[in-house]
Amino acid sequence: MIEGAWKQAAEAWQKEWEQQAARWWDATLREPLTLEGMRKALEGVCAAKERSDQALEQLWALYRLPTATDVERLHERLGDLEDGLARLQATVEALAERLPAKAKAEPKA
Amino acid sequence: MKTLTRLKHVGQGLARAVELVDGATPHTVAWRSGPVTVRRYAPETRATDVPLVFVMPFINRFRVVDLEPGTSLVGRLVARGLEVFVVDWGAPRRIDAGIDFEDHVLRYLPRALAATGAAQVDMLGLCLGGTLSTIFAATHPERVRRLATLVAPVSFADMDLLGLWTDPRWFPVERLTAAFGNMPGPLVNQGFLWQKPMTQLTKLQKAWPRFDDPAFAEFFCLLESWTSDGVDVPGAAYRRLINDLYRGDRLAKGELVLRRGDRALKVDLGAIRCPVFVASATDDLICPPPAATALLDLVSTPAAQKTHVSVKGGHIAPLVGPKARASLQDPLADYLLS
């Protein structure tokens, strides 16, 4: 019986503690100071990535290997080419639809 | 002894998570291009001739809608006689960093629809997949017979913590996507986890006694393995999401513009006149209920053809958890078959 009461009290205490902590976290995560810290941390991560990419690109260039930027540029050009082909295909399909109708309207003499 | 039993159930759950990494329901690949895959789930007997195109969010793995046989959302829809085509955006590589909303809506979704072989489809979208489905339905109204969205944000006016954290003062989205190409999945995931840090801290402690039940342990492992297995988000689409939607709320304001070559296509949600089904979750922090239900006010659908279902709980578990069949999956199937 006493053990049950202790257990209940401990559970109630934990619940109360969790609620208090959740409220504290929620307020803290909205604080401009926290948000500024988040921005700085993200910019730090970006700076580290930029530096490591730069070092890798230099190494790649040393061995005359294409870098990620080179491949991305190539990919962009391929994308443009694909768009152009899709537009051409749409134009040809539209023309093909019109042609039989025109041929029927103007039978050969 | 209890500890060993619980550990055994967790071990079995983890093994199951590895086994079901490609989903629980048998399917074939209908179309694939780059990171995008359209998966076809065929029913034994078709209850309708109109296929269902189910669009996934581009920030998660698709398998959340097909976690395990007993609770699978896709599995349930197929069992009810629907032919389902799941649009899985896959895991983009750095070369896919240029994929943007235009690619999703004007390039990939029309091809996904072509893979169904039908002129008109029913469209269902989960979370940001629902946002994309809505944009597609607004720009191709003749192709969509019915639209259904599940916890899909349409109005980003009040996104609480996520809105604050994506503010231009604190969130350097341009620099992040320039540095990484794609937005790293683990970073995106941190944003969701930190919304409720105490829940994350105490989750395992609260789940521990419930691991006596092997079914609970399995579902817990499947859901957690999915949560921690986020995919990178294409840089261009992520910038658009943050700048146009989170910061500008342009979709709800009718100011979102899709561009393809010389074409500019304004997304007008008023162009949607088909029946619309919206599901929201009461305690959802990622898509608060007003963000999802805003769609019902913005479409031109007659009031009698608008359906809203509110489920109890957070963002995902109420849609794919053990109680989801009665609260969401069957009402959704009834709507799609009505």
Coordinates of all heavy atoms in Angstrom, one line a residue, chain B residues 59-130:
Chain B
I59 N 10.1 15.4 -48.4 CA 11.1 15.4 -47.3 C 11.1 14.1 -46.5 O 11.9 14.0 -45.5 CB 10.8 16.6 -46.3 CG1 9.4 16.4 -45.7 CG2 10.9 17.9 -47.0 CD1 9.1 17.5 -44.6
N60 N 10.4 13.1 -46.9 CA 10.4 11.8 -46.2 C 10.4 10.6 -47.1 O 10.1 10.7 -48.3 CB 9.1 11.7 -45.4 CG 8.9 12.8 -44.3 OD1 8.0 13.6 -44.4 ND2 9.8 12.9 -43.4
R61 N 10.7 9.5 -46.6 CA 10.6 8.2 -47.3 C 9.1 7.9 -47.5 O 8.3 8.1 -46.6 CB 11.3 7.1 -46.5 CG 12.7 7.3 -46.2 CD 13.6 6.8 -47.3 NE 15.0 7.1 -46.9 CZ 16.0 7.0 -47.8 NH1 15.8 6.6 -49.0 NH2 17.2 7.3 -47.4
F62 N 8.8 7.2 -48.6 CA 7.4 7.0 -48.9 C 6.8 5.9 -48.0 O 5.6 5.8 -47.8 CB 7.3 6.5 -50.3 CG 7.5 5.0 -50.5 CD1 6.5 4.1 -50.6 CD2 8.8 4.5 -50.5 CE1 6.7 2.8 -50.7 CE2 9.0 3.2 -50.7 CZ 8.0 2.3 -50.8
R63 N 7.7 5.1 -47.3 CA 7.1 3.9 -46.7 C 6.3 4.1 -45.5 O 5.6 3.2 -44.9 CB 8.2 2.9 -46.3 CG 9.2 3.3 -45.2 CD 10.1 2.2 -44.9 NE 10.9 2.6 -43.7 CZ 12.1 3.2 -43.8 NH1 12.6 3.6 -45.0 NH2 12.8 3.5 -42.7
V64 N 6.2 5.4 -45.0 CA 5.3 5.7 -43.9 C 3.9 5.3 -44.1 O 3.1 5.0 -43.2 CB 5.5 7.2 -43.4 CG1 4.9 8.1 -44.5 CG2 4.8 7.4 -42.1
V65 N 3.5 5.4 -45.4 CA 2.1 5.0 -45.7 C 1.9 3.5 -45.9 O 0.8 3.1 -46.3 CB 1.6 5.8 -46.9 CG1 1.5 7.3 -46.6 CG2 2.4 5.5 -48.2
D66 N 3.0 2.8 -45.7 CA 2.9 1.3 -46.0 C 3.9 0.6 -45.0 O 4.6 -0.2 -45.4 CB 3.3 1.0 -47.4 CG 3.0 -0.4 -47.8 OD1 2.0 -1.0 -47.2 OD2 3.6 -0.9 -48.8
L67 N 3.8 1.0 -43.7 CA 4.7 0.6 -42.7 C 4.7 -0.9 -42.4 O 5.7 -1.6 -42.4 CB 4.5 1.3 -41.4 CG 5.2 2.7 -41.2 CD1 4.9 3.3 -39.9 CD2 6.7 2.6 -41.5
E68 N 3.4 -1.4 -42.2 CA 3.3 -2.8 -41.8 C 1.9 -3.3 -42.3 O 1.0 -2.5 -42.4 CB 3.5 -3.1 -40.3 CG 2.5 -2.3 -39.5 CD 2.6 -2.7 -38.0 OE1 3.3 -3.6 -37.6 OE2 1.9 -2.0 -37.2
P69 N 1.7 -4.6 -42.6 CA 0.5 -5.1 -43.2 C -0.8 -4.7 -42.4 O -1.8 -4.2 -43.0 CB 0.7 -6.6 -43.2 CG 2.1 -6.8 -43.2 CD 2.7 -5.7 -42.4
G70 N -0.8 -4.7 -41.1 CA -2.0 -4.5 -40.3 C -2.4 -3.0 -40.3 O -3.6 -2.7 -40.2
T71 N -1.5 -2.1 -40.4 CA -1.9 -0.7 -40.3 C -1.6 0.2 -41.6 O -1.9 1.4 -41.6 CB -1.0 0.0 -39.2 OG1 0.3 -0.1 -39.5 CG2 -1.3 -0.7 -37.8
S72 N -1.1 -0.5 -42.6 CA -0.8 0.2 -43.8 C -1.9 1.0 -44.4 O -3.0 0.4 -44.7 CB -0.2 -0.8 -44.9 OG -0.2 -0.2 -46.1
L73 N -1.7 2.3 -44.7 CA -2.8 3.1 -45.3 C -3.0 2.7 -46.8 O -4.1 2.5 -47.2 CB -2.3 4.6 -45.2 CG -3.2 5.6 -46.0 CD1 -4.6 5.6 -45.6 CD2 -2.6 7.0 -45.7
V74 N -1.9 2.5 -47.5 CA -2.0 2.1 -48.9 C -2.6 0.7 -48.9 O -3.5 0.4 -49.7 CB -0.6 2.0 -49.5 CG1 -0.6 1.3 -50.9 CG2 0.0 3.4 -49.8
G75 N -2.2 -0.2 -48.0 CA -2.7 -1.6 -48.0 C -4.2 -1.6 -47.8 O -4.9 -2.4 -48.4
R76 N -4.7 -0.7 -46.9 CA -6.1 -0.6 -46.7 C -6.9 -0.1 -47.9 O -7.9 -0.6 -48.2 CB -6.4 0.3 -45.5 CG -7.8 0.4 -45.0 CD -8.3 -1.0 -44.5 NE -9.7 -1.1 -44.3 CZ -10.4 -2.2 -44.4 NH1 -9.8 -3.3 -44.6 NH2 -11.7 -2.2 -44.1
L77 N -6.3 0.9 -48.6 CA -7.0 1.5 -49.8 C -7.1 0.4 -50.9 O -8.1 0.3 -51.6 CB -6.3 2.7 -50.3 CG -6.3 3.9 -49.3 CD1 -5.4 5.0 -49.8 CD2 -7.7 4.4 -49.1
V78 N -6.0 -0.4 -51.0 CA -5.9 -1.4 -52.0 C -6.9 -2.5 -51.6 O -7.7 -3.0 -52.5 CB -4.5 -2.0 -52.2 CG1 -4.5 -3.2 -53.1 CG2 -3.6 -0.9 -52.7
A79 N -7.0 -2.9 -50.4 CA -7.9 -3.9 -49.9 C -9.4 -3.5 -50.2 O -10.2 -4.3 -50.4 CB -7.7 -4.2 -48.4
R80 N -9.6 -2.2 -50.2 CA -11.0 -1.7 -50.5 C -11.3 -1.6 -52.0 O -12.3 -1.1 -52.4 CB -11.2 -0.3 -49.8 CG -11.2 -0.3 -48.3 CD -12.4 -0.9 -47.7 NE -13.6 -0.3 -48.2 CZ -14.2 0.8 -47.6 NH1 -13.7 1.3 -46.5 NH2 -15.3 1.3 -48.1
G81 N -10.3 -2.0 -52.8 CA -10.5 -2.1 -54.2 C -10.0 -0.9 -55.0 O -10.4 -0.8 -56.2
L82 N -9.1 -0.1 -54.5 CA -8.6 1.0 -55.2 C -7.2 0.7 -55.8 O -6.4 0.0 -55.2 CB -8.4 2.2 -54.3 CG -9.7 2.9 -53.9 CD1 -9.5 3.5 -52.5 CD2 -10.0 4.0 -54.9
E83 N -7.0 1.1 -57.1 CA -5.7 0.9 -57.7 C -4.9 2.2 -57.3 O -5.3 3.3 -57.7 CB -5.9 0.8 -59.2 CG -4.5 0.5 -59.9 CD -4.7 0.5 -61.4 OE1 -5.6 1.2 -61.9 OE2 -3.8 -0.1 -62.1
V84 N -3.8 2.0 -56.6 CA -3.1 3.1 -56.1 C -1.7 3.3 -56.7 O -1.0 2.3 -56.9 CB -2.9 3.0 -54.5 CG1 -2.2 4.2 -53.9 CG2 -4.2 2.7 -53.8
F85 N -1.4 4.5 -57.2 CA -0.1 4.8 -57.7 C 0.6 5.8 -56.7 O 0.1 6.9 -56.6 CB -0.2 5.5 -59.1 CG -0.7 4.5 -60.2 CD1 -2.0 4.2 -60.3 CD2 0.2 3.9 -61.0 CE1 -2.5 3.3 -61.3 CE2 -0.2 3.0 -62.0 CZ -1.6 2.7 -62.1
V86 N 1.6 5.3 -56.1 CA 2.3 6.2 -55.1 C 3.4 6.9 -55.8 O 4.3 6.3 -56.4 CB 2.8 5.3 -53.9 CG1 3.7 6.1 -53.0 CG2 1.6 4.8 -53.1
V87 N 3.4 8.2 -55.7 CA 4.5 9.0 -56.2 C 5.6 9.2 -55.1 O 5.3 9.9 -54.2 CB 4.0 10.4 -56.7 CG1 5.2 11.2 -57.3 CG2 2.9 10.2 -57.8
D88 N 6.7 8.5 -55.3 CA 7.8 8.5 -54.3 C 8.9 9.4 -54.8 O 9.5 9.0 -55.9 CB 8.2 7.0 -54.1 CG 9.5 6.9 -53.4 OD1 10.0 7.8 -52.7 OD2 10.1 5.8 -53.5
W89 N 9.2 10.5 -54.2 CA 10.2 11.4 -54.7 C 11.6 10.9 -54.5 O 12.5 11.5 -55.1 CB 10.0 12.8 -54.1 CG 8.6 13.4 -54.3 CD1 7.7 13.6 -53.3 CD2 8.1 13.8 -55.5 NE1 6.5 14.1 -53.9 CE2 6.8 14.3 -55.3 CE3 8.5 13.9 -56.9 CZ2 5.9 14.7 -56.3 CZ3 7.7 14.4 -57.8 CH2 6.4 14.8 -57.5
G90 N 11.8 9.9 -53.7 CA 13.1 9.3 -53.6 C 14.1 10.1 -52.8 O 13.7 11.1 -52.1
A91 N 15.3 9.7 -52.9 CA 16.4 10.4 -52.2 C 17.2 11.2 -53.2 O 18.0 10.5 -53.9 CB 17.2 9.4 -51.4
P92 N 17.1 12.5 -53.3 CA 17.8 13.2 -54.3 C 19.3 13.2 -54.1 O 19.8 13.2 -52.9 CB 17.3 14.6 -54.3 CG 16.7 14.7 -53.0 CD 16.3 13.4 -52.5
R93 N 20.1 13.2 -55.1 CA 21.6 13.3 -55.0 C 21.9 14.8 -55.3 O 21.0 15.6 -55.7 CB 22.3 12.4 -56.0 CG 21.9 11.0 -56.0 CD 22.3 10.3 -54.7 NE 23.7 10.3 -54.5 CZ 24.5 9.3 -54.8 NH1 24.0 8.2 -55.3 NH2 25.8 9.4 -54.6
R94 N 23.2 15.1 -55.1 CA 23.5 16.5 -55.3 C 23.1 17.1 -56.7 O 22.8 18.2 -56.9 CB 25.0 16.7 -55.1 CG 25.5 18.1 -55.3 CD 26.6 18.6 -54.5 NE 26.8 20.0 -54.8 CZ 27.4 20.8 -54.0 NH1 27.8 20.5 -52.9 NH2 27.6 22.1 -54.4
I95 N 23.2 16.2 -57.7 CA 22.9 16.6 -59.1 C 21.4 16.9 -59.2 O 21.0 17.6 -60.2 CB 23.3 15.4 -60.0 CG1 23.5 16.0 -61.4 CG2 22.3 14.3 -60.1 CD1 24.2 15.1 -62.4
D96 N 20.6 16.5 -58.3 CA 19.1 16.8 -58.3 C 18.8 18.1 -57.6 O 17.6 18.4 -57.4 CB 18.3 15.7 -57.7 CG 18.6 14.3 -58.4 OD1 18.5 14.3 -59.7 OD2 18.9 13.3 -57.8
A97 N 19.8 18.9 -57.2 CA 19.5 20.0 -56.3 C 18.7 21.1 -57.0 O 18.1 21.9 -56.4 CB 20.9 20.7 -55.9
G98 N 18.6 21.0 -58.4 CA 17.8 22.0 -59.1 C 16.3 21.7 -59.2 O 15.5 22.4 -59.7
I99 N 15.9 20.5 -58.7 CA 14.5 20.1 -58.7 C 13.6 21.1 -57.9 O 13.9 21.3 -56.8 CB 14.3 18.7 -58.2 CG1 14.9 17.7 -59.2 CG2 12.8 18.3 -58.1 CD1 14.8 16.2 -58.8
D100 N 12.6 21.7 -58.6 CA 11.8 22.7 -58.0 C 10.3 22.3 -58.1 O 10.0 21.3 -58.7 CB 12.1 24.1 -58.7 CG 11.8 25.2 -57.8 OD1 11.1 25.1 -56.8 OD2 12.3 26.3 -58.0
F101 N 9.5 23.2 -57.6 CA 8.0 22.9 -57.6 C 7.6 22.7 -59.1 O 6.7 21.9 -59.4 CB 7.2 24.1 -57.0 CG 7.3 24.1 -55.5 CD1 8.1 23.3 -54.8 CD2 6.4 25.0 -54.8 CE1 8.1 23.3 -53.4 CE2 6.4 25.0 -53.4 CZ 7.3 24.2 -52.7
E102 N 8.2 23.5 -60.0 CA 7.8 23.3 -61.4 C 8.1 21.9 -61.9 O 7.3 21.3 -62.6 CB 8.6 24.3 -62.3 CG 8.1 25.7 -62.3 CD 8.6 26.5 -61.1 OE1 9.3 25.9 -60.2 OE2 8.2 27.7 -61.0
D103 N 9.2 21.3 -61.5 CA 9.5 19.9 -61.9 C 8.5 19.0 -61.2 O 8.0 18.1 -61.9 CB 10.9 19.6 -61.4 CG 12.0 20.4 -62.1 OD1 12.2 20.3 -63.3 OD2 12.5 21.3 -61.4
H104 N 8.2 19.2 -60.0 CA 7.2 18.3 -59.3 C 5.8 18.4 -60.0 O 5.2 17.4 -60.3 CB 7.0 18.8 -57.8 CG 8.2 18.5 -57.0 ND1 8.7 19.4 -56.1 CD2 8.9 17.4 -56.8 CE1 9.7 18.9 -55.5 NE2 9.9 17.7 -55.9
V105 N 5.4 19.6 -60.2 CA 4.0 19.8 -60.7 C 3.8 19.7 -62.2 O 2.8 19.2 -62.7 CB 3.4 21.1 -60.1 CG1 2.0 21.4 -60.7 CG2 3.4 21.1 -58.6
L106 N 4.8 20.3 -62.9 CA 4.6 20.4 -64.4 C 5.4 19.3 -65.2 O 5.1 19.1 -66.3 CB 5.1 21.7 -64.9 CG 4.4 23.0 -64.3 CD1 5.0 24.2 -64.8 CD2 2.9 22.9 -64.5
R107 N 6.3 18.6 -64.5 CA 7.1 17.6 -65.2 C 6.8 16.2 -64.7 O 6.4 15.3 -65.4 CB 8.6 18.0 -65.0 CG 9.5 17.2 -65.8 CD 10.9 17.8 -65.6 NE 12.0 16.9 -65.9 CZ 13.2 17.0 -65.5 NH1 13.5 18.0 -64.7 NH2 14.1 16.2 -65.9
Y108 N 7.0 16.0 -63.4 CA 6.9 14.6 -62.8 C 5.4 14.2 -62.6 O 5.1 13.0 -63.0 CB 7.6 14.5 -61.5 CG 9.1 14.6 -61.7 CD1 9.9 15.5 -60.9 CD2 9.8 13.8 -62.6 CE1 11.2 15.6 -61.1 CE2 11.2 13.8 -62.7 CZ 11.9 14.8 -62.0 OH 13.3 14.8 -62.1
L109 N 4.6 15.0 -62.1 CA 3.2 14.6 -61.8 C 2.4 14.3 -63.1 O 1.7 13.3 -63.2 CB 2.4 15.6 -60.9 CG 2.8 15.5 -59.4 CD1 2.0 16.6 -58.6 CD2 2.6 14.2 -58.9
P110 N 2.6 15.1 -64.2 CA 1.9 14.7 -65.4 C 2.4 13.3 -65.9 O 1.6 12.5 -66.5 CB 2.3 15.8 -66.4 CG 2.5 17.0 -65.6 CD 3.1 16.4 -64.3
R111 N 3.7 13.0 -65.7 CA 4.2 11.7 -66.2 C 3.7 10.6 -65.3 O 3.4 9.5 -65.7 CB 5.7 11.7 -66.2 CG 6.2 12.6 -67.3 CD 7.7 12.6 -67.4 NE 8.2 13.6 -68.3 CZ 9.5 13.9 -68.5 NH1 10.4 13.1 -67.9 NH2 9.8 14.9 -69.2
A112 N 3.5 10.9 -64.0 CA 2.9 9.9 -63.1 C 1.5 9.6 -63.5 O 1.0 8.5 -63.5 CB 2.9 10.4 -61.6
L113 N 0.8 10.7 -63.9 CA -0.6 10.5 -64.3 C -0.6 9.7 -65.6 O -1.5 8.8 -65.8 CB -1.3 11.8 -64.5 CG -2.2 12.2 -63.4 CD1 -1.4 12.6 -62.1 CD2 -3.1 13.4 -63.7
A114 N 0.3 9.9 -66.5 CA 0.4 9.2 -67.8 C 0.6 7.7 -67.5 O 0.1 6.8 -68.2 CB 1.5 9.7 -68.6
A115 N 1.4 7.4 -66.4 CA 1.7 6.0 -66.1 C 0.4 5.3 -65.6 O 0.4 4.0 -65.7 CB 2.7 6.0 -64.9
T116 N -0.6 6.0 -65.2 CA -1.9 5.3 -64.8 C -2.7 4.9 -66.0 O -3.5 4.1 -65.9 CB -2.7 6.3 -63.9 OG1 -3.2 7.3 -64.7 CG2 -2.0 6.8 -62.7
G117 N -2.5 5.6 -67.1 CA -3.2 5.3 -68.3 C -4.6 5.9 -68.3 O -5.4 5.7 -69.3
A118 N -4.9 6.7 -67.3 CA -6.3 7.3 -67.2 C -6.2 8.8 -67.5 O -5.3 9.4 -67.2 CB -6.9 7.1 -65.8
A119 N -7.3 9.3 -68.2 CA -7.4 10.7 -68.5 C -7.6 11.5 -67.2 O -7.2 12.6 -67.1 CB -8.5 10.9 -69.5
Q120 N -8.4 10.9 -66.3 CA -8.7 11.6 -65.0 C -8.4 10.7 -63.8 O -8.7 9.5 -63.9 CB -10.2 12.0 -65.1 CG -10.5 13.2 -64.3 CD -11.9 13.7 -64.3 OE1 -12.8 12.8 -64.4 NE2 -12.2 14.9 -64.2
V121 N -7.9 11.3 -62.8 CA -7.6 10.4 -61.6 C -8.1 11.1 -60.3 O -8.5 12.2 -60.3 CB -6.0 10.3 -61.4 CG1 -5.4 9.6 -62.6 CG2 -5.4 11.6 -61.2
D122 N -8.1 10.3 -59.3 CA -8.4 10.8 -57.9 C -7.0 11.1 -57.4 O -6.1 10.4 -57.6 CB -9.1 9.8 -57.0 CG -10.6 9.7 -57.4 OD1 -11.1 10.6 -58.2 OD2 -11.2 8.7 -57.0
M123 N -6.9 12.2 -56.6 CA -5.6 12.6 -56.2 C -5.6 12.7 -54.6 O -6.4 13.4 -54.1 CB -5.2 13.9 -56.8 CG -3.7 14.1 -56.8 SD -3.3 15.1 -58.3 CE -1.6 14.6 -58.6
L124 N -4.5 12.1 -54.0 CA -4.4 12.1 -52.6 C -3.0 12.6 -52.3 O -2.1 12.1 -52.9 CB -4.7 10.7 -52.0 CG -4.4 10.4 -50.6 CD1 -5.3 11.1 -49.7 CD2 -4.5 8.9 -50.3
G125 N -2.8 13.4 -51.2 CA -1.5 13.9 -50.9 C -1.3 13.9 -49.4 O -2.2 14.3 -48.6
L126 N -0.1 13.5 -49.0 CA 0.2 13.5 -47.5 C 1.2 14.6 -47.3 O 2.2 14.8 -48.0 CB 0.9 12.1 -47.2 CG 1.5 12.1 -45.8 CD1 0.4 12.1 -44.7 CD2 2.3 10.8 -45.6
C127 N 0.9 15.4 -46.3 CA 1.7 16.5 -45.8 C 2.1 17.4 -47.0 O 1.2 17.9 -47.8 CB 2.9 16.0 -45.1 SG 4.0 17.3 -44.4
L128 N 3.4 17.6 -47.3 CA 3.7 18.5 -48.4 C 3.3 17.9 -49.8 O 3.2 18.6 -50.8 CB 5.2 18.8 -48.4 CG 5.6 19.8 -47.3 CD1 7.1 19.9 -47.2 CD2 5.0 21.2 -47.5
G129 N 3.1 16.6 -49.8 CA 2.6 15.9 -51.0 C 1.2 16.4 -51.2 O 0.7 16.5 -52.4
G130 N 0.5 16.7 -50.2 CA -0.9 17.2 -50.3 C -0.8 18.7 -50.8 O -1.7 19.1 -51.6

